[in-house]
Amino acid sequence: MSRRRTPDEATLPLFADEPAPPPVVAPPPEPAPDAGWVGDLPEDALPDLDVFFEEDGGVIDAEPEPETPETADETPARPETPAEALAAGLGAHVEAWSRRLGAEADDARAAGRAAEALSRATAAGHVCLMLDELDGEPGDWRARLEASRVVGPAHAPGAAPLVLDADGRLYLQRDFDHERRLAARLKAAARPVPGALDAAARARLAELFAANTSTDDAPDWQRAAAALALRQRLAVISGGPGTGKTTTVVALLACLLADNPEARIALAAPTGKAAARMTEAIRGRAAQLPEAIRARLPQEASTVHRLLRAGPDGFFHGAERPLAIDALVVDEASMLDLALARRLLDAVPAHARIVLLGDKDQLAAVESGAVFAELSADTTLTPGCRAELAAACGVSPEALQPPPAAAPALADSVVWFRRTFRFAADSGIGRLAGLVNGGRADEALAWLGAGGDASVQWLDDRGAEPGVAVREAIAAGFAPYVEALRRDPQDAAAAMRAFDGFRVLCATRDGARGVAGVNAFAATLLRRALGAAPGAWYPGRPVMVRRNDYVLRLFNGDIGLALPDAQGRLDVVFPAPGGGWRRVAPARLPPHDTAFGMTVHQSQGSEFSDLLLLTPDRPLRAMTRELLYTGITRARQRVTLAGPAAALTAAVRSPTRRRSGLAARLHELESR
């Protein structure tokens, strides 16, 4: 009898290079008006719970092999989670496939066990599984897998569902193909443009960066990065918030348009929020440019999915139908997973420049891979490239000394920005971010405990549910939003400004200290403050879209507010591309969440004047150094950390390590 599994939709299909089928999503239950942890705050403190329960579509396993004496004792316990169910299903499928191809029983079982472990690894964000992570000797595993008839070698994988490379990396063939194709496209792009840094270009760079002065004789890395992006067809620029990435890109675009006024330039980001911020930032920085240049700048950044014209059948643009562009600039590129990065770069014509902007220290993509961090690791500048950049920057080649390369892969392609202009390195947010990023847990906790900086507050909150001080901080943070709704609930601009001023970020989705608990609490406070009637929809309810809707042109990560029109009817109001507002009836929305709180992953590409970062009450695997750093650096002016010392210390000491072989694929191309 077949057994129904409930896989994680993000990991399907296993082998085909096509979009996964949409999962079945049940409507959320209507919450009780006072759900959550509200009881001991006064009613007038300030904002129902619309908890999102994720339901994944089912998939039927292959029929299991008939039970034999040698397999009777091996029936596994029923998996408890969708990811475990998918792993068990894949393992059984691969083992049955191996047996049908005539492999020995021991080899088939080994292939099934390895496939199950690989599925768990990809669900955790890894692209591959190392053989030395399996129980036993890697050499024995290699021999078994090579004899299983379902594992192909990296140099000629054929139609095998699994691929094993020379260094012991085991892949799903789909992911190996993504990695190999991405490496080939990157290698083709990482080449110089002859004559790009001519006298005219050097003069323009000098003019555009004339205001950049340094008192310590340090080189102007913004100018160097712009020069590199002119010299090369691929440039990777990594820097934290406020390090000047936008300033550099605006100068680069001005140079490209001065050289070719008809240049076709596309701006993109992985989420709608990040794309909107990119548009805003570039418009603000472009105010100082000549009118002739400013008029030709791209007017809007789009999401990557929108740029590639994603639809129910996949992406319209790709290697066969490339984008009609001469340059592509992608912001928040650390959010690109392996598959999306491959598809995006496939769609860029060979002659076009590619500029990837991001922060190598931020959280990697939700799906498999850490493409941006891997590319950022190679800061090597060859002598010829360094000499050209030095001439363009008016300094000696010796002055342009990049940091040591962590993992050489693509020379002459990467620049790091390490100086922040948003806040001083010794300011509260800057200092805390530096301590976290440097792994200095004890120093960070001692500094937090001492206090003394108004931009950072630590609430040593240790309970399974947030304590009164945390709840009061959340209520105070949303008070300006409540006041804006009371003043004029139809003023979408004022409401959105007030809402964007404060946010609660969480490490987890579920539980009292997760997004669900925060949304329950804040929604109840808002209802009380506005006297809203019971029900799923109420004035001021913020929602985040969780799945792209190409008909409504709403995309994953878009934020809208439920606001009444002149007749009192509630619609969800979203910022419209190019300005203004769009109203969408609640019943027409794609799957969505209430958004008083969001996970740190969801906050990438966003910034808030003030935020509260709520951690679990104990160390968890999900609470990593990158998550903590990313959450802290979403704040522009003030951040409050709410969590126990043990959880914060463990996070700072737990850097993320994602396994992949992108650098190995690039080295293979280099050696050919």
Side-chain angles (χ1 to χ4, degrees):
M1 185 69 180
S2 296
R3 301 186 302 278
R4 177 164 292 275
R5 305 285 192 188
T6 55
D8 180 350
E9 66 166 309
T11 61
L12 283 176
L14 295 173
F15 311 119
D17 186 12
E18 60 186 29
V24 178
V25 178
E30 185 166 314
D34 292 323
W37 22 267
V38 182
D40 46 359
L41 275 184
E43 290 195 8
D44 60 353
L46 181 195
D48 157 341
L49 172 60
D50 181 14
V51 183
F52 179 79
F53 294 97
E54 197 167 75
E55 288 190 18
D56 297 289
V59 65
I60 303 296
D61 286 349
E63 283 290 334
E65 291 290 304
E67 189 173 279
T68 65
E70 62 183 352
T71 63
D73 296 331
E74 298 179 8
T75 303
R78 182 172 180 84
E80 297 181 357
T81 69
E84 290 172 350
L86 180 61
L90 176 62
H93 183 75
V94 168
E95 180 177 347
W97 191 342
S98 178
R99 289 174 184 270
R100 287 197 298 271
L101 292 177
E104 296 290 335
D106 287 347
D107 299 332
R109 277 197 295 273
R113 287 176 58 198
E116 185 170 346
L118 174 58
S119 180
R120 291 196 186 97
T122 58
H126 303 291
V127 176
C128 57
L129 174 75
M130 301 300 296
L131 293 187
D132 60 13
E133 297 175 80
L134 297 168
D135 293 335
E137 290 296 320
D140 295 340
W141 275 103
R142 179 178 288 278
R144 293 286 191 195
L145 293 175
E146 288 175 345
S148 71
R149 306 189 181 186
V150 290
V151 179
H155 65 273
L162 306 179
V163 177
L164 180 62
D165 77 3
D167 297 320
R169 298 181 189 88
L170 184 67
Y171 296 84
L172 294 172
Q173 177 159 145
R174 174 200 63 190
D175 291 334
F176 180 77
D177 185 59
H178 285 323
E179 192 172 85
R180 182 176 57 180
R181 290 170 64 177
L182 177 61
R185 182 65 185 90
L186 288 166
K187 202 67 181 178
R191 65 187 194 279
V193 180
L197 285 178
D198 58 14
R202 293 196 298 270
R204 280 192 290 270
L205 288 170
E207 179 182 356
L208 289 163
F209 289 99
N212 283 15
T213 57
S214 174
T215 58
D216 55 5
D217 296 323
D220 184 354
W221 282 104
Q222 292 182 15
R223 186 170 169 181
L228 182 70
L230 289 175
R231 182 186 189 268
Q232 302 288 120
R233 295 197 188 278
L234 171 67
V236 180
I237 303 173
S238 175
T243 53
K245 298 188 296 291
T246 303
T247 300
T248 302
V249 164
V250 169
L252 168 65
L253 299 183
C255 288
L256 293 176
L257 291 168
D259 183 62
N260 177 14
E262 303 304 320
R264 301 163 299 175
I265 300 168
L267 307 176
T271 67
K273 189 70 175 178
R277 276 196 56 241
M278 186 183 192
T279 301
E280 260 180 57
I282 287 180
R283 283 178 182 166
R285 295 290 189 278
Q288 307 304 316
L289 295 178
E291 173 58 32
I293 297 293
R294 193 165 64 247
R296 292 185 177 276
L297 286 173
Q299 296 303 301
E300 182 187 359
S302 70
T303 63
V304 171
H305 284 76
R306 198 178 309 168
L307 178 69
L308 298 180
R309 291 176 57 184
D313 299 322
F315 295 110
F316 177 82
H317 289 294
E320 300 300 318
R321 286 188 292 263
L323 296 158
I325 59 173
D326 301 305
L328 170 67
V329 180
V330 183
D331 198 11
E332 298 291 347
S334 61
M335 298 170 69
L336 293 175
D337 60 74
L338 174 65
L340 187 58
R342 194 275 291 172
R343 291 187 173 103
L344 174 61
L345 296 198
D346 269 359
V348 180
H351 76 277
R353 283 182 171 84
I354 300 168
V355 180
L356 303 178
L357 310 172
D359 184 347
K360 63 181 178 60
D361 299 315
Q362 276 192 31
L363 280 168
V366 175
E367 308 300 340
S368 297
V371 173
F372 187 82
E374 286 186 89
L375 296 181
S376 298
D378 188 357
T379 53
T380 305
L381 296 176
T382 60
C385 178
R386 188 184 300 177
E388 288 192 51
L389 298 186
C393 295
V395 299
S396 68
E398 292 74 24
L400 288 178
Q401 291 290 342
L410 284 174
D412 297 340
S413 299
V414 178
V415 171
W416 292 359
F417 290 168
R418 291 178 287 181
R419 179 184 177 190
T420 180
F421 300 91
R422 177 175 304 166
F423 31 71
D426 59 352
S427 71
I429 297 174
R431 182 169 182 179
L432 179 59
L435 292 173
V436 169
N437 199 26
R440 292 144 64 186
D442 293 340
E443 193 175 342
L445 264 292
W447 182 80
L448 284 170
D453 193 302
S455 67
V456 177
Q457 181 183 15
W458 176 32
L459 301 176
D460 188 4
D461 187 69
R462 309 179 185 191
E465 294 186 353
V468 173
V470 176
R471 287 175 262 180
E472 288 176 343
I474 294 173
F478 283 119
Y481 179 53
V482 172
E483 182 56 34
L485 293 172
R486 283 172 169 161
R487 190 166 49 246
D488 185 355
Q490 296 177 35
D491 188 342
M496 188 64 79
R497 275 196 307 273
F499 182 68
D500 279 345
F502 175 76
R503 202 64 46 90
V504 182
L505 306 185
C506 304
T508 59
R509 179 180 293 278
D510 300 320
R513 300 183 72 92
V515 172
V518 169
N519 282 336
F521 172 68
T524 302
L525 289 178
L526 181 60
R527 285 178 181 277
R528 288 181 178 178
L530 300 181
W537 290 98
Y538 49 89
R541 179 189 172 189
V543 297
M544 174 186 288
V545 174
R546 296 201 66 241
R547 190 178 306 151
N548 298 336
D549 188 310
Y550 304 102
V551 175
L552 293 176
R553 292 183 60 79
L554 293 176
F555 297 89
N556 184 23
D558 286 354
I559 298 281
L561 302 177
L563 300 175
D565 62 13
Q567 287 72 45
R569 183 188 65 190
L570 279 182
D571 289 322
V572 182
V573 180
F574 294 89
W581 304 91
R582 300 172 54 211
R583 303 186 72 93
V584 179
R588 297 190 64 201
L589 287 177
H592 54 275
D593 288 341
T594 301
F596 292 105
M598 60 174 62
T599 64
V600 176
H601 272 285
Q602 292 171 325
S603 75
Q604 288 181 275
S606 300
E607 291 180 352
F608 310 101
S609 298
D610 186 1
L611 67 82
L612 184 145
L613 177 54
L614 181 61
T615 79
D617 61 344
R618 63 191 183 282
L620 293 179
R621 181 181 300 176
M623 191 70 187
T624 64
R625 179 186 301 171
E626 290 78 9
L627 184 141
L628 191 57
Y629 168 82
T630 301
I632 291 167
T633 55
R634 298 310 89 203
R636 286 192 297 264
Q637 298 173 8
R638 178 180 166 84
V639 61
T640 299
L641 293 181
L648 295 174
T649 299
V652 177
R653 292 175 176 169
S654 303
T656 301
R657 296 286 184 265
R658 286 200 170 179
R659 294 180 289 279
S660 84
L662 182 59
R665 305 288 83 80
L666 289 165
H667 285 306
E668 289 169 358
L669 294 170
E670 187 71 36
S671 62
R672 289 179 185 174

